[in-house]
Amino acid sequence: TRRNEDLALLDELASTLASSTDIDQILDKVLTQLMDYLGLEASEIYLRQHDSKNLILKMHKGKSNNHLCDRTQYVMGEGIIGQTVKSGSPILLDLSKSECNELVPEVKASGVRQIAVVSLKGRRSGMGALIVAARHPQPLDELEVQFLQAIGSWMATAIENVRLHTQERKLAVLEERERIGMDLHDGIIQSIYAVGLTLEH
């Protein structure tokens, strides 16, 4: 039953991701449905800035306006966010058993018991990270972590497609500008040549 519910939500999210061309809309839709489905306290997305190693907090969802980590920017391999993106392996933190000095103090004060970080794996490399906070006493199990990883992969693919589409549009605009420039150049050369012939005559 759990697997069927997971697949149903993944199918619904896949339809949204396939039809949307706006990254903010994709992230908002996924985080909202994910929090409702798993009963999460908060969730965040860190995205890699194209080919750089910088990971920037792109979106936060939760009852409080505070972000989960004490920083909004990481570098690949740095901290729980950077380590997850670089390795591709999920990180699970049980706050009832261990401390994490990267989280803002309000996180544990709000009753959050567990933090999970999964990588958004693109076709070539990590696109970013999804971090979620849960308050319920039952820890996230293996099925739920696999579910988070599946959603992370879907999101990475959707973001890559949006960025490729944007690059194609920019390239088309540049090619059109170059064509217009060549047409103008040819037109001006022809006009000058015509004037030269007229003067010579």
Side-chain angles (χ1 to χ4, degrees), residues 6-59:
D6 290 353
L7 288 172
L9 181 57
L10 280 174
D11 184 60
E12 184 180 348
L13 289 174
S15 300
T16 300
L17 300 181
S19 60
S20 179
T21 56
D22 182 82
I23 291 179
D24 287 337
Q25 183 183 6
I26 290 172
L27 300 183
D28 183 73
K29 178 78 171 178
V30 172
L31 293 186
T32 299
Q33 289 192 273
L34 184 62
M35 289 179 65
D36 288 342
Y37 181 66
L38 294 179
L40 301 172
E41 178 71 12
S43 60
E44 292 178 345
I45 292 289
Y46 283 79
L47 286 186
R48 187 176 178 183
Q49 300 302 293
H50 299 286
D51 293 330
S52 74
K53 293 185 178 182
N54 295 324
L55 301 159
I56 308 292
L57 177 62
K58 182 67 175 176
M59 184 170 290

Short mmCIF file of all heavy atoms in Angstrom, two decimals, residues 6-59:
data_model
loop_
_atom_site.label_atom_id
_atom_site.label_comp_id
_atom_site.label_asym_id
_atom_site.label_seq_id
_atom_site.Cartn_x
_atom_site.Cartn_y
_atom_site.Cartn_z
N ASP A 6 3.23 5.91 -2.78
CA ASP A 6 4.44 6.61 -3.23
C ASP A 6 4.44 6.78 -4.75
O ASP A 6 4.72 7.87 -5.27
CB ASP A 6 5.70 5.84 -2.82
CG ASP A 6 5.93 5.88 -1.31
OD1 ASP A 6 5.18 6.61 -0.62
OD2 ASP A 6 6.85 5.18 -0.84
N LEU A 7 4.10 5.70 -5.45
CA LEU A 7 4.09 5.75 -6.92
C LEU A 7 3.02 6.71 -7.43
O LEU A 7 3.23 7.40 -8.44
CB LEU A 7 3.86 4.34 -7.48
CG LEU A 7 5.03 3.37 -7.35
CD1 LEU A 7 4.61 1.96 -7.76
CD2 LEU A 7 6.21 3.83 -8.19
N ALA A 8 1.88 6.75 -6.75
CA ALA A 8 0.81 7.66 -7.17
C ALA A 8 1.26 9.11 -7.05
O ALA A 8 1.01 9.93 -7.95
CB ALA A 8 -0.44 7.42 -6.32
N LEU A 9 1.93 9.44 -5.95
CA LEU A 9 2.42 10.81 -5.76
C LEU A 9 3.53 11.12 -6.76
O LEU A 9 3.57 12.20 -7.34
CB LEU A 9 2.92 11.01 -4.34
CG LEU A 9 3.43 12.43 -4.02
CD1 LEU A 9 2.36 13.48 -4.29
CD2 LEU A 9 3.90 12.52 -2.58
N LEU A 10 4.43 10.16 -6.98
CA LEU A 10 5.50 10.36 -7.96
C LEU A 10 4.92 10.60 -9.35
O LEU A 10 5.41 11.45 -10.11
CB LEU A 10 6.42 9.14 -8.00
CG LEU A 10 7.47 9.04 -6.89
CD1 LEU A 10 8.19 7.70 -6.98
CD2 LEU A 10 8.46 10.18 -6.97
N ASP A 11 3.87 9.87 -9.69
CA ASP A 11 3.22 10.05 -11.00
C ASP A 11 2.62 11.44 -11.12
O ASP A 11 2.74 12.11 -12.16
CB ASP A 11 2.15 8.97 -11.19
CG ASP A 11 1.50 9.05 -12.56
OD1 ASP A 11 2.23 8.90 -13.56
OD2 ASP A 11 0.29 9.28 -12.63
N GLU A 12 1.99 11.90 -10.04
CA GLU A 12 1.39 13.24 -10.04
C GLU A 12 2.47 14.31 -10.17
O GLU A 12 2.32 15.27 -10.93
CB GLU A 12 0.58 13.45 -8.75
CG GLU A 12 -0.15 14.78 -8.71
CD GLU A 12 -0.93 14.95 -7.41
OE1 GLU A 12 -1.09 13.96 -6.67
OE2 GLU A 12 -1.36 16.09 -7.14
N LEU A 13 3.55 14.14 -9.41
CA LEU A 13 4.65 15.10 -9.48
C LEU A 13 5.32 15.08 -10.85
O LEU A 13 5.72 16.13 -11.37
CB LEU A 13 5.68 14.79 -8.40
CG LEU A 13 5.26 15.08 -6.95
CD1 LEU A 13 6.32 14.59 -5.98
CD2 LEU A 13 5.00 16.57 -6.75
N ALA A 14 5.44 13.90 -11.44
CA ALA A 14 6.06 13.78 -12.76
C ALA A 14 5.29 14.58 -13.80
O ALA A 14 5.88 15.23 -14.68
CB ALA A 14 6.14 12.31 -13.18
N SER A 15 3.97 14.56 -13.70
CA SER A 15 3.14 15.34 -14.63
C SER A 15 3.41 16.83 -14.48
O SER A 15 3.51 17.56 -15.47
CB SER A 15 1.65 15.05 -14.39
OG SER A 15 1.37 13.68 -14.58
N THR A 16 3.54 17.27 -13.22
CA THR A 16 3.83 18.68 -12.96
C THR A 16 5.20 19.06 -13.49
O THR A 16 5.37 20.09 -14.15
CB THR A 16 3.79 18.97 -11.44
OG1 THR A 16 2.49 18.65 -10.95
CG2 THR A 16 4.09 20.43 -11.15
N LEU A 17 6.19 18.22 -13.21
CA LEU A 17 7.56 18.52 -13.62
C LEU A 17 7.71 18.52 -15.14
O LEU A 17 8.46 19.32 -15.69
CB LEU A 17 8.52 17.50 -13.01
CG LEU A 17 8.56 17.42 -11.48
CD1 LEU A 17 9.57 16.39 -11.02
CD2 LEU A 17 8.89 18.77 -10.88
N ALA A 18 6.97 17.63 -15.80
CA ALA A 18 7.09 17.54 -17.26
C ALA A 18 6.44 18.72 -17.97
O ALA A 18 6.85 19.09 -19.07
CB ALA A 18 6.47 16.23 -17.74
N SER A 19 5.43 19.32 -17.33
CA SER A 19 4.68 20.38 -18.00
C SER A 19 5.15 21.78 -17.62
O SER A 19 4.80 22.76 -18.27
CB SER A 19 3.19 20.25 -17.68
OG SER A 19 2.97 20.34 -16.28
N SER A 20 5.93 21.92 -16.55
CA SER A 20 6.33 23.24 -16.08
C SER A 20 7.69 23.64 -16.65
O SER A 20 8.59 22.82 -16.81
CB SER A 20 6.40 23.26 -14.55
OG SER A 20 6.81 24.53 -14.09
N THR A 21 7.83 24.93 -16.95
CA THR A 21 9.11 25.47 -17.44
C THR A 21 9.64 26.54 -16.49
O THR A 21 10.52 27.31 -16.86
CB THR A 21 8.94 26.08 -18.84
OG1 THR A 21 7.92 27.09 -18.81
CG2 THR A 21 8.56 25.01 -19.86
N ASP A 22 9.13 26.56 -15.27
CA ASP A 22 9.57 27.54 -14.28
C ASP A 22 10.12 26.80 -13.06
O ASP A 22 9.40 26.02 -12.43
CB ASP A 22 8.39 28.44 -13.87
CG ASP A 22 8.82 29.49 -12.87
OD1 ASP A 22 9.37 30.53 -13.29
OD2 ASP A 22 8.60 29.29 -11.65
N ILE A 23 11.39 27.04 -12.74
CA ILE A 23 12.04 26.30 -11.65
C ILE A 23 11.38 26.58 -10.31
O ILE A 23 11.15 25.66 -9.52
CB ILE A 23 13.55 26.64 -11.60
CG1 ILE A 23 14.25 26.05 -12.82
CG2 ILE A 23 14.19 26.10 -10.32
CD1 ILE A 23 15.73 26.34 -12.89
N ASP A 24 11.04 27.83 -10.03
CA ASP A 24 10.40 28.16 -8.76
C ASP A 24 9.06 27.45 -8.60
O ASP A 24 8.72 26.98 -7.51
CB ASP A 24 10.18 29.68 -8.65
CG ASP A 24 11.49 30.43 -8.41
OD1 ASP A 24 12.45 29.80 -7.92
OD2 ASP A 24 11.56 31.63 -8.71
N GLN A 25 8.30 27.35 -9.69
CA GLN A 25 7.01 26.66 -9.65
C GLN A 25 7.21 25.17 -9.37
O GLN A 25 6.47 24.56 -8.60
CB GLN A 25 6.27 26.85 -10.97
CG GLN A 25 4.88 26.22 -11.00
CD GLN A 25 4.20 26.38 -12.35
OE1 GLN A 25 4.80 26.85 -13.31
NE2 GLN A 25 2.96 25.97 -12.42
N ILE A 26 8.23 24.58 -9.98
CA ILE A 26 8.54 23.16 -9.77
C ILE A 26 8.88 22.90 -8.31
O ILE A 26 8.33 22.00 -7.67
CB ILE A 26 9.72 22.73 -10.68
CG1 ILE A 26 9.27 22.69 -12.14
CG2 ILE A 26 10.25 21.36 -10.25
CD1 ILE A 26 10.40 22.46 -13.12
N LEU A 27 9.78 23.73 -7.76
CA LEU A 27 10.21 23.54 -6.37
C LEU A 27 9.05 23.74 -5.39
O LEU A 27 8.90 22.97 -4.43
CB LEU A 27 11.35 24.51 -6.03
CG LEU A 27 12.62 24.39 -6.88
CD1 LEU A 27 13.68 25.35 -6.38
CD2 LEU A 27 13.16 22.97 -6.86
N ASP A 28 8.26 24.76 -5.62
CA ASP A 28 7.13 25.05 -4.72
C ASP A 28 6.13 23.90 -4.71
O ASP A 28 5.68 23.47 -3.64
CB ASP A 28 6.45 26.35 -5.17
CG ASP A 28 5.31 26.74 -4.24
OD1 ASP A 28 5.59 27.18 -3.11
OD2 ASP A 28 4.13 26.60 -4.63
N LYS A 29 5.80 23.39 -5.88
CA LYS A 29 4.83 22.29 -5.99
C LYS A 29 5.34 21.03 -5.30
O LYS A 29 4.62 20.40 -4.51
CB LYS A 29 4.57 22.00 -7.48
CG LYS A 29 3.61 20.85 -7.75
CD LYS A 29 2.19 21.24 -7.56
CE LYS A 29 1.24 20.16 -8.04
NZ LYS A 29 -0.17 20.52 -7.82
N VAL A 30 6.60 20.69 -5.56
CA VAL A 30 7.16 19.45 -5.00
C VAL A 30 7.27 19.55 -3.48
O VAL A 30 6.86 18.63 -2.76
CB VAL A 30 8.54 19.16 -5.62
CG1 VAL A 30 9.20 17.99 -4.89
CG2 VAL A 30 8.40 18.81 -7.09
N LEU A 31 7.81 20.64 -2.96
CA LEU A 31 7.99 20.77 -1.51
C LEU A 31 6.66 20.78 -0.78
O LEU A 31 6.52 20.18 0.28
CB LEU A 31 8.79 22.03 -1.18
CG LEU A 31 10.25 22.05 -1.63
CD1 LEU A 31 10.95 23.31 -1.11
CD2 LEU A 31 10.99 20.81 -1.17
N THR A 32 5.66 21.45 -1.33
CA THR A 32 4.34 21.52 -0.70
C THR A 32 3.72 20.13 -0.59
O THR A 32 3.24 19.72 0.48
CB THR A 32 3.40 22.45 -1.49
OG1 THR A 32 3.95 23.77 -1.52
CG2 THR A 32 2.02 22.50 -0.86
N GLN A 33 3.73 19.38 -1.69
CA GLN A 33 3.12 18.04 -1.68
C GLN A 33 3.93 17.07 -0.83
O GLN A 33 3.36 16.22 -0.14
CB GLN A 33 3.00 17.52 -3.11
CG GLN A 33 1.94 18.25 -3.93
CD GLN A 33 1.64 17.54 -5.23
OE1 GLN A 33 2.30 17.76 -6.23
NE2 GLN A 33 0.65 16.68 -5.22
N LEU A 34 5.24 17.21 -0.87
CA LEU A 34 6.11 16.33 -0.09
C LEU A 34 5.88 16.53 1.40
O LEU A 34 5.78 15.55 2.17
CB LEU A 34 7.57 16.62 -0.44
CG LEU A 34 8.64 15.74 0.22
CD1 LEU A 34 8.44 14.29 -0.19
CD2 LEU A 34 10.03 16.22 -0.16
N MET A 35 5.77 17.77 1.85
CA MET A 35 5.54 18.05 3.27
C MET A 35 4.20 17.53 3.74
O MET A 35 4.07 16.98 4.83
CB MET A 35 5.68 19.55 3.53
CG MET A 35 7.12 20.05 3.43
SD MET A 35 7.25 21.82 3.72
CE MET A 35 6.72 21.91 5.45
N ASP A 36 3.19 17.70 2.89
CA ASP A 36 1.86 17.20 3.26
C ASP A 36 1.85 15.67 3.34
O ASP A 36 1.27 15.09 4.26
CB ASP A 36 0.82 17.66 2.22
CG ASP A 36 0.54 19.15 2.33
OD1 ASP A 36 0.87 19.75 3.37
OD2 ASP A 36 0.02 19.73 1.36
N TYR A 37 2.52 15.03 2.39
CA TYR A 37 2.48 13.57 2.29
C TYR A 37 3.24 12.89 3.44
O TYR A 37 2.77 11.92 4.03
CB TYR A 37 3.07 13.15 0.95
CG TYR A 37 3.07 11.65 0.72
CD1 TYR A 37 1.88 10.94 0.59
CD2 TYR A 37 4.27 10.95 0.61
CE1 TYR A 37 1.88 9.57 0.38
CE2 TYR A 37 4.28 9.58 0.40
CZ TYR A 37 3.08 8.90 0.28
OH TYR A 37 3.09 7.54 0.07
N LEU A 38 4.42 13.44 3.78
CA LEU A 38 5.24 12.83 4.83
C LEU A 38 5.07 13.49 6.19
O LEU A 38 5.68 13.05 7.16
CB LEU A 38 6.73 12.87 4.43
CG LEU A 38 7.14 12.03 3.22
CD1 LEU A 38 8.63 12.20 2.95
CD2 LEU A 38 6.80 10.56 3.42
N GLY A 39 4.25 14.54 6.27
CA GLY A 39 4.04 15.22 7.54
C GLY A 39 5.30 15.88 8.06
O GLY A 39 5.63 15.75 9.24
N LEU A 40 6.00 16.59 7.19
CA LEU A 40 7.27 17.20 7.56
C LEU A 40 7.08 18.57 8.20
O LEU A 40 6.11 19.27 7.92
CB LEU A 40 8.16 17.33 6.31
CG LEU A 40 8.50 16.02 5.58
CD1 LEU A 40 9.21 16.32 4.28
CD2 LEU A 40 9.34 15.12 6.47
N GLU A 41 8.05 18.94 9.03
CA GLU A 41 8.04 20.25 9.68
C GLU A 41 8.56 21.33 8.73
O GLU A 41 8.04 22.45 8.71
CB GLU A 41 8.91 20.21 10.94
CG GLU A 41 9.01 21.52 11.70
CD GLU A 41 7.71 21.90 12.39
OE1 GLU A 41 6.81 21.04 12.48
OE2 GLU A 41 7.61 23.04 12.85
N ALA A 42 9.58 21.02 7.97
CA ALA A 42 10.17 21.99 7.04
C ALA A 42 10.93 21.26 5.94
O ALA A 42 11.29 20.08 6.08
CB ALA A 42 11.11 22.94 7.79
N SER A 43 11.17 21.97 4.86
CA SER A 43 11.96 21.41 3.75
C SER A 43 12.64 22.55 3.01
O SER A 43 12.13 23.68 2.99
CB SER A 43 11.07 20.60 2.80
OG SER A 43 10.06 21.42 2.25
N GLU A 44 13.77 22.24 2.40
CA GLU A 44 14.54 23.26 1.68
C GLU A 44 15.21 22.65 0.45
O GLU A 44 15.46 21.44 0.40
CB GLU A 44 15.63 23.85 2.57
CG GLU A 44 15.11 24.68 3.71
CD GLU A 44 16.21 25.23 4.59
OE1 GLU A 44 17.37 24.74 4.51
OE2 GLU A 44 15.93 26.14 5.39
N ILE A 45 15.51 23.52 -0.49
CA ILE A 45 16.25 23.11 -1.69
C ILE A 45 17.47 24.02 -1.84
O ILE A 45 17.35 25.25 -1.81
CB ILE A 45 15.39 23.23 -2.96
CG1 ILE A 45 14.25 22.21 -2.96
CG2 ILE A 45 16.25 23.06 -4.22
CD1 ILE A 45 14.71 20.79 -3.17
N TYR A 46 18.63 23.39 -1.99
CA TYR A 46 19.86 24.09 -2.36
C TYR A 46 20.18 23.71 -3.79
O TYR A 46 20.19 22.53 -4.13
CB TYR A 46 21.03 23.69 -1.45
CG TYR A 46 20.99 24.33 -0.09
CD1 TYR A 46 20.17 23.84 0.91
CD2 TYR A 46 21.80 25.42 0.21
CE1 TYR A 46 20.13 24.42 2.17
CE2 TYR A 46 21.79 26.01 1.47
CZ TYR A 46 20.95 25.51 2.44
OH TYR A 46 20.92 26.09 3.69
N LEU A 47 20.46 24.71 -4.64
CA LEU A 47 20.76 24.43 -6.04
C LEU A 47 22.17 24.87 -6.39
O LEU A 47 22.64 25.91 -5.94
CB LEU A 47 19.76 25.14 -6.97
CG LEU A 47 18.35 24.56 -7.07
CD1 LEU A 47 17.57 25.31 -8.13
CD2 LEU A 47 18.37 23.07 -7.36
N ARG A 48 22.79 24.06 -7.22
CA ARG A 48 24.13 24.40 -7.74
C ARG A 48 23.99 25.47 -8.82
O ARG A 48 23.10 25.39 -9.67
CB ARG A 48 24.77 23.14 -8.31
CG ARG A 48 26.21 23.29 -8.72
CD ARG A 48 26.74 21.95 -9.17
NE ARG A 48 28.11 22.02 -9.62
CZ ARG A 48 28.78 21.00 -10.12
NH1 ARG A 48 28.19 19.82 -10.21
NH2 ARG A 48 30.03 21.14 -10.51
N GLN A 49 24.87 26.44 -8.76
CA GLN A 49 24.84 27.53 -9.73
C GLN A 49 25.56 27.12 -11.01
O GLN A 49 26.77 27.32 -11.16
CB GLN A 49 25.49 28.78 -9.12
CG GLN A 49 24.80 29.26 -7.86
CD GLN A 49 23.34 29.58 -8.09
OE1 GLN A 49 22.99 30.52 -8.82
NE2 GLN A 49 22.45 28.81 -7.48
N HIS A 50 24.82 26.49 -11.91
CA HIS A 50 25.31 26.04 -13.21
C HIS A 50 26.59 25.22 -13.05
O HIS A 50 26.59 24.21 -12.36
CB HIS A 50 25.50 27.24 -14.14
CG HIS A 50 24.19 27.96 -14.39
ND1 HIS A 50 23.21 27.47 -15.21
CD2 HIS A 50 23.71 29.13 -13.88
CE1 HIS A 50 22.18 28.29 -15.21
NE2 HIS A 50 22.46 29.30 -14.42
N ASP A 51 27.72 25.64 -13.65
CA ASP A 51 28.94 24.83 -13.61
C ASP A 51 29.85 25.18 -12.44
O ASP A 51 30.97 24.66 -12.34
CB ASP A 51 29.72 25.00 -14.92
CG ASP A 51 28.97 24.40 -16.10
OD1 ASP A 51 28.23 23.42 -15.88
OD2 ASP A 51 29.12 24.89 -17.22
N SER A 52 29.41 26.06 -11.55
CA SER A 52 30.25 26.43 -10.41
C SER A 52 30.11 25.38 -9.30
O SER A 52 29.32 24.45 -9.40
CB SER A 52 29.84 27.81 -9.87
OG SER A 52 28.62 27.72 -9.16
N LYS A 53 30.89 25.54 -8.23
CA LYS A 53 30.81 24.64 -7.09
C LYS A 53 29.95 25.21 -5.97
O LYS A 53 29.86 24.62 -4.89
CB LYS A 53 32.23 24.36 -6.56
CG LYS A 53 33.09 23.56 -7.53
CD LYS A 53 34.43 23.21 -6.91
CE LYS A 53 35.27 22.36 -7.86
NZ LYS A 53 36.57 21.98 -7.25
N ASN A 54 29.32 26.34 -6.22
CA ASN A 54 28.50 27.00 -5.19
C ASN A 54 27.09 26.42 -5.14
O ASN A 54 26.46 26.21 -6.17
CB ASN A 54 28.43 28.50 -5.46
CG ASN A 54 29.79 29.18 -5.35
OD1 ASN A 54 30.59 28.80 -4.51
ND2 ASN A 54 30.04 30.15 -6.20
N LEU A 55 26.61 26.20 -3.92
CA LEU A 55 25.26 25.70 -3.68
C LEU A 55 24.50 26.76 -2.89
O LEU A 55 24.88 27.10 -1.77
CB LEU A 55 25.30 24.38 -2.90
CG LEU A 55 26.06 23.24 -3.58
CD1 LEU A 55 26.49 22.20 -2.56
CD2 LEU A 55 25.20 22.60 -4.66
N ILE A 56 23.43 27.29 -3.47
CA ILE A 56 22.69 28.41 -2.89
C ILE A 56 21.31 27.94 -2.45
O ILE A 56 20.65 27.17 -3.15
CB ILE A 56 22.53 29.56 -3.91
CG1 ILE A 56 23.89 29.95 -4.51
CG2 ILE A 56 21.88 30.77 -3.26
CD1 ILE A 56 24.84 30.58 -3.56
N LEU A 57 20.87 28.41 -1.27
CA LEU A 57 19.51 28.11 -0.82
C LEU A 57 18.52 28.78 -1.78
O LEU A 57 18.49 30.00 -1.91
CB LEU A 57 19.30 28.65 0.60
CG LEU A 57 17.89 28.48 1.18
CD1 LEU A 57 17.51 27.02 1.30
CD2 LEU A 57 17.77 29.18 2.53
N LYS A 58 17.73 27.95 -2.45
CA LYS A 58 16.80 28.45 -3.46
C LYS A 58 15.39 28.62 -2.90
O LYS A 58 14.68 29.55 -3.25
CB LYS A 58 16.78 27.47 -4.65
CG LYS A 58 15.88 27.88 -5.79
CD LYS A 58 16.37 29.12 -6.49
CE LYS A 58 15.52 29.45 -7.71
NZ LYS A 58 15.93 30.70 -8.35
N MET A 59 14.97 27.68 -2.02
CA MET A 59 13.60 27.77 -1.49
C MET A 59 13.50 27.10 -0.12
O MET A 59 14.14 26.08 0.12
CB MET A 59 12.60 27.12 -2.46
CG MET A 59 11.15 27.26 -2.04
SD MET A 59 9.98 26.76 -3.34
CE MET A 59 10.21 28.10 -4.52
#
